[in-house]
Amino acid sequence: MTQVIADISVSLDGFVAGPNVALDNGMGDGGDALHAWAFSDDPDEQGLLEQGTNRSGAVIMGRRLFDIIDGPDGWSDEVGYGAAEVGRPPFIVVTSAAPTSVRLSELDWTFVTTGLADAIRTARERAEAASAASGRDLDVVLMGGGAVIGSAVAAGLVDILTLHLAPVLLGSGTPLFVDAPPRTLRQRSAVVTPAATHLTYDVL
């Protein structure tokens, strides 16, 4: 069964990017440390990364994250879901208006201008179609940014929340949750690797 999974790296003080985020500084000052686990040679960390990408039947992101990914210093053949070893699921971008051009034109982009719920609905349809075609369950993965994931959890649109907790204090930056309503989580797993602690919760 297709589920909606929010998956993001976060600092110990709750930030998903450092201060001064820009097209040429996509993770903000100090924010690259949040993703050290994803670029590690450690086999356990590489295994977790592979598990996460292999389950992706469709991937959702916000417009700011798309602009960074599609920018000149963004994804390439070596880095990102566009990399050959990872695969290329369809990408759904939540935005107020579609861009006039896309650098990563070889990837499957859909721009949804009618809100997050519609983006998730579109992504679920794509993931379910991919599941049927592949013969295995694939999920909708919300990869960020923080505002998209925070809003989706607050609205009850997420089934599973996975946090890759990096051992760093950024001090400021982009918070994952802002004025979030109360919500109960049930812990599924906690996996400790050299560069992060990986926490997975059912969102009730």
Side-chain angles (χ1 to χ4, degrees):
M1 183 181 72
T2 294
Q3 295 181 297
V4 177
I5 301 174
D7 188 309
I8 197 165
S9 297
V10 61
S11 68
L12 286 174
D13 49 352
F15 296 102
V16 297
N20 302 313
V21 171
L23 287 180
D24 61 351
N25 189 29
M27 289 306 302
D29 298 343
D32 288 344
L34 300 177
H35 297 282
W37 71 273
F39 295 96
S40 165
D41 292 330
D42 181 82
D44 291 333
E45 290 176 335
Q46 286 301 302
L48 287 169
L49 182 64
E50 184 176 350
Q51 290 172 24
T53 53
N54 283 344
R55 74 184 180 214
S56 303
V59 176
I60 295 176
M61 68 185 74
R63 178 57 185 269
R64 175 182 286 186
L65 182 55
F66 165 79
D67 286 341
I68 292 169
I69 285 169
D70 198 53
D73 298 318
W75 283 356
S76 65
D77 289 339
E78 290 76 38
V79 177
Y81 270 94
E85 70 273 13
V86 173
R88 301 188 176 192
F91 298 96
I92 315 300
V93 180
V94 187
T95 181
S96 59
T100 56
S101 63
V102 176
R103 177 179 67 87
L104 298 168
S105 57
E106 73 278 8
L107 299 181
D108 181 355
W109 298 101
T110 299
F111 298 93
V112 175
T113 60
T114 52
L116 180 56
D118 283 346
I120 290 176
R121 188 177 303 111
T122 298
R124 186 185 292 277
E125 291 171 355
R126 299 295 301 273
E128 288 174 347
S131 296
S134 66
R136 60 191 182 95
D137 288 337
L138 297 171
D139 297 311
V140 173
V141 176
L142 277 71
M143 66 172 291
V148 168
I149 288 181
S151 296
V153 172
L157 299 173
V158 171
D159 299 308
I160 296 172
L161 174 64
T162 296
L163 302 177
H164 307 282
L165 190 63
V168 61
L169 298 171
L170 292 178
S172 63
T174 303
L176 178 55
F177 296 112
V178 178
D179 297 327
R183 186 164 293 280
T184 300
L185 307 178
R186 179 174 58 222
Q187 185 162 296
R188 278 193 169 201
S189 64
V191 178
V192 178
T193 62
T197 299
H198 311 269
L199 305 170
T200 299
Y201 302 92
D202 291 316
V203 182
L204 305 179

